[in-house]
Amino acid sequence: MVAMTSALLVSLFAFLVSLSSLYIPSCSSSTDAFVFGGCTQEKYAPNSPYESNINSLLTSLVNSATYSSYNNYTVMGSSPQDVIYGLYQCRGDLSMPDCATCVARAVSQVGSFCPYNSGGALQLQGCYIKYDNTSFLGEEDKTVVLKKCGPSVGYDSDGMSRRDSVLAALVGSGGPYRVGGSGDVQGLAQCVGDLSFTECQDCVSEAIGRVKSECGGAVYGDMFLAKCYARYSTGGAHFYSKTHHDKSYSEGEKTFAIIIGLLAGVALLIIFLTFVRKVFGENGKIFTLLFLFIFI
């Protein structure tokens, strides 16, 4: 009986694990999903001092992301050719654990994305990393690196007016991370942390002007420049803010808690009945059958 009980408990545990994967939604779609990446043409030699400096830099990025949403580093080398510059930045609404996870994911991917390239950049939904042997820190750069527009559903004067108002409010906001909304229209903008306030304003204005003109009446638009980005969504068509997933997390966690409670109760019941049968022998069997008849 004990062996059968153990087997049953193992089965229940496996069932619990399978249910957890069904009911707890993954956050990877909002933070770890790939957006874009790029690599410099210049290469470095394997096992060179520059490779060692890259590894040191990337390790620093991951470590720093556990306590700060932005940081930059310069790793000096024995020669000017071995100096490397790098930074990371997390989306402004991410918690420190989510930021650290995202940066670690980006660092783990950039090596295979840019093998032996002297410089590389990788943008995930929740974070951005970049490194190069030519300094780019503190320099404004409005080069378009990604433009993505959703489908157009025809001109909606009210929707476009609210979109334009939301985007205008982002320009007027302060700070490197800016988010706003009106009804079913949401907007998001962010600058890389090495820009000054004036440079950030200039970059965000450029990104918003471009996304409005180039995406027209699209239901969503993404405009990533080298040092900032602007995004909008109408009707919940396409957006990546953390709060967009809060409800689904809550529902999943409640369901999962109920399942844990039920399965824990079943497991305790089995252990109790096994104990009764072991202690009371035949009388325990009678008690067990009576208990199951009454309560089940």
Side-chain angles (χ1 to χ4, degrees), residues 37 47 91 103 109 155 157 161 167 239 284 288:
N47 303 315
R91 202 174 63 207
V103 172
Q109 293 178 3
Y155 184 75
S157 59
S161 176
L167 294 178
F239 209 66
T288 300

Side-chain angles (χ1 to χ4, degrees), residues 181-194:
S182 174
D184 61 352
V185 179
Q186 293 179 297
L188 174 68
Q190 187 168 15
C191 297
V192 177
D194 62 334

Side-chain angles (χ1 to χ4, degrees), residues 93-104:
D93 61 339
L94 262 61
S95 65
M96 285 298 95
D98 288 343
C99 176
T101 299
C102 188
V103 172

